[in-house]
Amino acid sequence: MAYAITRSCCNDASCVSVCPVNCIHPTPDEPEFGTTDLLYIDPRACIDCGACADACPVDAVFPVDRLRGPDVVFGDLNRDWYRDHPNDHAWGAPSFPRSLPGEVGTLRIAVVGTGPSAGYTAQELLRCTSAELTMIDRLPVTGGLLRHGVAPDHQSTKRIAESFASVFHDPRLRMHLNLEVGTDVSHQELAAHHHAVVYAVGAAADRRLGVPGEDLPGSVPATSFVGWYNADPTVPADTVDLSAERVVVVGNGNVAVDIARILLTDPDRLAATDIADHALAALRRSRVREVVLLARRGPEQAAWSAPEFLGLRRLPGVELVVEDHPQVRAAIEAAAPDSRAVLLADLPLVRHDGDAEPGLGRRIVLRFLSTPVELTEADGRVSGLTVERTALTADGDPIDPAGPIDPTGPAGPTARRDTLRAALVVRSIGHRGVPVPGLPFDERTGTVAQHGGRVVDPATGRPLPGAYVVGWAKRGPSGGIGANRACARETVDALMDDAQARALPVPPAGRTEFEQLVRRRRPDAVGLKELRAVDRAERERGAAQGRPRVKLATVAELLAAGRRR
Ligand code: NAP
């Protein structure tokens, strides 16, 4: 019986390189790599050896005959991909890990950030070079979005942290946590102690809707909502108020899907995860019954991935419905077999009155073609969200549905405004990078100005010697965890090319001087021993409750647990 890849696929292709018959596609050298929701196993070519399941860092691969309930669909998804992508499974050209000639000597490289893109970068640098690494994070704990972004009910995805943990314990690596680059130490100081600095700082801010009322209490960016349920120590425990019956989530990407799912999942199920204690308590008291997932475009342009959307369909005790609208109905009826819209084909189409009290049961309403225009206010906080039907042509079709939407653009004859009554509006419209002091920033894309991973001066296009960038800070905020593997490889390749070409500046000071500088600037900076102590403390608290861990949710608690090492 063949194997199949399921929901938690991280797309990092660890499985591809161990398959003895090359039956997992698309491979990193095929054009579709990075564009598909999953990697797929061809059941006709699979020899059932299980090597892919052993190599998978997120436990996503199972024999088809062991898939149960809602996971059965993944057997079909794997098989069906090969219907449209016939493949002879011929091997591509072999590639071998590169290395640097001995005369380059031992490089000292700083990696700023400890999330997935930093983890893959460190892994690649330790594998291909003899470099000594310094890893830095502004928080007293590692993981970035792996710890504070991945939803708590996706524990298998979080398992990839185990492969990064082994990297963090490498004797060539030193860890400096609770240390912020740009505040505690500057880029210039990092550069003065390292041959190269790689920025893996992600995209920490949220994109703005740019409509009135956006900053009212009760209007919460997804970055804060997700940080709240994941015990991000920079997000206060009282950030989210769940006393309203309806929540509107603006956007329909995978983050919006995560938020809708967490809001309506039975808290008893979440209690078995590492969800923040304060969020679990709030969800137990929650009065939320209806979550509206609001999209400004149609179902064909939904931003969620199929595996994540299928997860919404199987939420026990939660009804999933689509707001009825002629253009939405038409799009679903005309949906191509492998489109996003086809996944809505058998969902009930309902009239949705956003001004009325939600019904008694728990439900998620998918509302399309609705552009936010204003958050309304009552008693100093959000009372609702006014939406306008996305601009339509005279025939009632969306104007260029594949093109960018101009929310201030022309409205067609069917345009109308509705106000959805809700005391909590979550703005889940994507992340945005935050400038790092001393590094060129591209305001248009919200990323570090770069070319192929080398930080560049945007005016001249010339590389800033010894400065590199990886992950969302380089590509912008899209793509799951595994997308960072190829991204890290590109950046490390650029760095190795520069090392070989003797283009890296030689730092005047070394590791010892850097550690002295850190101790002077941040006497409370912590390292690997403290990180281990935090990990132990959280796991012990979790074991007592039958949970993987109970996270410490404030900087003070994390530092105190670290000190108790
Ligand atoms: P995203 O996928 O870029 O989705 C953003 C959503 O916001 C889209 O629906 C977009 O609609 C909408 N939007 C943007 N500007 C808007 C505006 N002004 N008004 C109304 N709607 C607006 O972002 P994300 O959900 O934050 O996810 C970021 C990345 O992380 C994605 O690549 C995602 O797949 C990944 N991720 C993956 C997982 C997983 O695999 N489990 C979980 C979480 C995140 P338009 O399409 O109309 O612009």
Side-chain angles (χ1 to χ4, degrees), residues 7 9 149 154 157 207-209 250-256 258 294-297 301-305 308 370-372 405 407 428-431 472 477-480:
R7 187 206 59 77
C9 175
H154 283 172
T157 306
R207 287 177 62 193
R208 304 279 298 166
L209 272 174
V250 182
N252 69 358
N254 280 338
V255 171
D258 280 347
L294 196 84
R296 57 182 176 171
R297 297 198 277 170
Q301 292 93 23
W304 30 255
S305 63
E308 295 309 317
S370 301
T371 299
I405 298 291
S428 183
I429 62 168
H431 291 236
W472 279 7
S478 79

Side-chain angles (χ1 to χ4, degrees), residues 230-285:
N230 270 324
D232 180 333
T234 64
V235 179
D238 61 357
T239 296
V240 174
D241 176 354
L242 300 179
S243 57
E245 287 155 354
R246 175 181 294 118
V247 176
V248 177
V249 181
V250 182
N252 69 358
N254 280 338
V255 171
V257 167
D258 280 347
I259 291 169
R261 199 182 61 248
I262 294 296
L263 277 168
L264 292 181
T265 294
D266 179 350
D268 282 344
R269 291 182 66 205
L270 295 175
T273 73
D274 65 352
I275 190 169
D277 273 354
H278 56 245
L280 185 60
L283 287 161
R284 287 196 187 285
R285 295 190 304 269

Side-chain angles (χ1 to χ4, degrees), residues 393-447:
T393 64
D395 298 331
D397 294 328
I399 292 173
D400 186 9
I405 298 291
D406 174 7
T408 59
T414 61
R416 64 152 210 264
R417 286 190 170 195
D418 286 327
T419 295
L420 308 176
R421 215 190 313 158
L424 176 60
V425 173
V426 185
R427 298 156 4 231
S428 183
I429 62 168
H431 291 236
R432 187 177 161 78
V434 177
V436 178
L439 277 198
F441 189 70
D442 183 339
E443 281 294 342
R444 196 180 47 83
T445 57
T447 56

